[in-house]
Amino acid sequence: MPKTTIHWRNSPAWLIYPIGYVIVALIRGAIFKWYPYPFLEADKLGYPQVLLNIVMLFIALCVVSAIFIGVARLAQTRTSIAR
């Protein structure tokens, strides 16, 4: 069965779930005073620090997605050369 190619345009779609999760976690944390991760504890860190933590997290996710795309493209290139 042929595998589909991963494109750079797929990367933003991969971030939809983490964005939604962070929004829900912050809303629930503000209501119940409980956050699932220490870097999201807005009551202790303040919202500017939490926003910076979220930005750094999403930069890391973008880097990881770029690595996945690069590895997939490299594997696809090697597969097409071997044929």
Side-chain angles (χ1 to χ4, degrees):
M1 175 176 285
K3 295 182 180 182
T4 58
T5 305
I6 299 175
H7 298 283
W8 295 107
R9 66 179 175 264
N10 298 121
S11 184
W14 298 341
L15 297 176
I16 292 172
Y17 177 78
I19 289 170
Y21 182 82
V22 165
I23 291 170
V24 170
L26 288 175
I27 291 170
R28 287 190 62 184
I31 294 170
F32 298 109
K33 305 298 182 217
W34 179 83
Y35 296 89
Y37 300 104
F39 63 87
L40 290 178
E41 292 181 350
D43 56 346
K44 293 179 183 173
L45 301 173
Y47 282 101
Q49 181 62 47
V50 169
L51 181 60
L52 179 63
N53 294 344
I54 292 168
V55 168
M56 290 188 313
L57 175 67
F58 282 100
I59 289 171
L61 289 173
C62 288
V63 169
V64 169
S65 68
I67 291 169
F68 279 134
I69 292 169
V71 168
R73 294 200 143 206
L74 182 63
Q76 180 186 12
T77 303
R78 289 182 183 239
T79 303
S80 64
I81 291 172
R83 289 183 187 180

